[in-house]
Amino acid sequence: MIHNVGVSNAFGQLSNEGFYFLYRGILPPLCQKTITLSLMFGIYEECRRPLMAMQVPPLLAKSSAAIIAGSVEVIIMPLERVQTLLQDQRYNRSFKNTHHAFRVIASSYGIAEFYRGLVPILIRNGGANVCFFVARDELMALSPANSSWWGKTTHQFVSGAVIGAVTSTIFYPLNVVKVHIQSKLGGEYQSLLSAFVEIVRER
């Protein structure tokens, strides 16, 4: 995604870099996933319930709560930003590990550098959350009322997998744009539109 290479070329690049670099940048996504899921579900429910109590239409209440939850998730955006830089081979010698990357970026570029690529992340988080929560509730409503525990669990697993796959596919281009923007360190901040146009022209 960063260097616009195919799968075979990517494997070749990883082989040349060595096993260590295969797991370079693994700490940020590990921390990020744990915190993101907690924020997403917790904030969604805390926002949805009062909206429903105020007689807001269910679809609007769910969508608003999902967008709010996705917007709050950007507080952990620095983890995603550092992950992108650690996985870019151009910075293999610039950063030793996650802690070193945070220290160098904060001291040399400022806190704002951690939020490069904010707009595509906001759109991705909000949109993906709306699709996930609305589709999940609709599919849950189709679940047989008298289904067994195993049947309900299987239905939830399959529906979650399908929703996740569809949502990821829809919003994947935003991830490409986000990575393109975040792979740059320092200099002028690039807008979502200009990054999109640049990617289309180059690739």
Side-chain angles (χ1 to χ4, degrees):
M1 193 187 299
I2 295 175
H3 302 297
N4 187 29
V5 296
V7 175
S8 59
N9 288 335
F11 273 111
Q13 179 180 312
L14 290 171
S15 298
N16 293 332
E17 292 179 354
F19 183 79
Y20 169 77
F21 288 104
L22 182 62
Y23 287 93
R24 181 174 168 86
I26 193 173
L27 182 59
L30 284 176
C31 299
Q32 179 189 347
K33 282 298 179 184
T34 304
I35 301 171
T36 297
L37 291 175
S38 300
L39 286 173
M40 184 176 78
F41 285 100
I43 294 174
Y44 171 77
E45 284 299 326
E46 289 300 317
C47 294
R48 184 188 65 83
R49 281 199 295 262
L51 288 173
M52 295 290 285
M54 292 187 291
Q55 304 300 315
V56 175
L59 182 59
L60 180 58
K62 293 174 185 177
S63 300
S64 301
I67 291 173
I68 293 170
S71 299
V72 174
E73 287 175 43
V74 300
I75 63 173
I76 58 170
M77 181 182 161
L79 289 169
E80 199 168 349
R81 172 78 167 111
V82 169
Q83 177 192 355
T84 301
L85 293 174
L86 288 175
Q87 291 178 339
D88 191 331
Q89 64 175 354
R90 293 174 297 179
Y91 302 107
N92 282 352
R93 296 187 178 183
S94 301
F95 307 121
K96 298 176 183 177
N97 50 43
T98 301
H99 178 263
H100 183 247
F102 269 103
R103 191 154 46 88
V104 170
I105 294 170
S107 60
S108 302
Y109 299 94
I111 300 300
E113 188 66 28
F114 288 112
Y115 292 91
R116 185 183 290 262
L118 175 64
V119 174
I121 288 179
L122 279 172
I123 298 173
R124 180 201 65 187
N125 287 1
N129 280 4
V130 170
C131 290
F132 175 79
F133 285 112
V134 172
R136 183 194 65 165
D137 290 348
E138 291 299 318
L139 288 176
M140 288 300 296
L142 299 176
S143 178
N146 297 322
S147 179
S148 63
W149 173 85
W150 174 250
K152 289 181 179 179
T153 303
T154 303
H155 182 270
Q156 289 176 355
F157 177 79
V158 172
S159 61
V162 171
I163 294 170
V166 172
T167 302
S168 297
T169 303
I170 293 172
F171 292 96
Y172 189 81
L174 282 171
N175 274 332
V176 176
V177 174
K178 184 267 299 184
V179 167
H180 181 77
I181 293 173
Q182 290 189 334
S183 63
K184 299 172 183 177
L185 187 60
E188 184 180 352
Y189 283 76
Q190 191 173 23
S191 68
L192 172 64
L193 180 60
S194 66
F196 179 83
V197 172
E198 188 174 300
I199 292 171
V200 172
R201 287 176 176 171
E202 289 179 355
R203 304 184 183 185

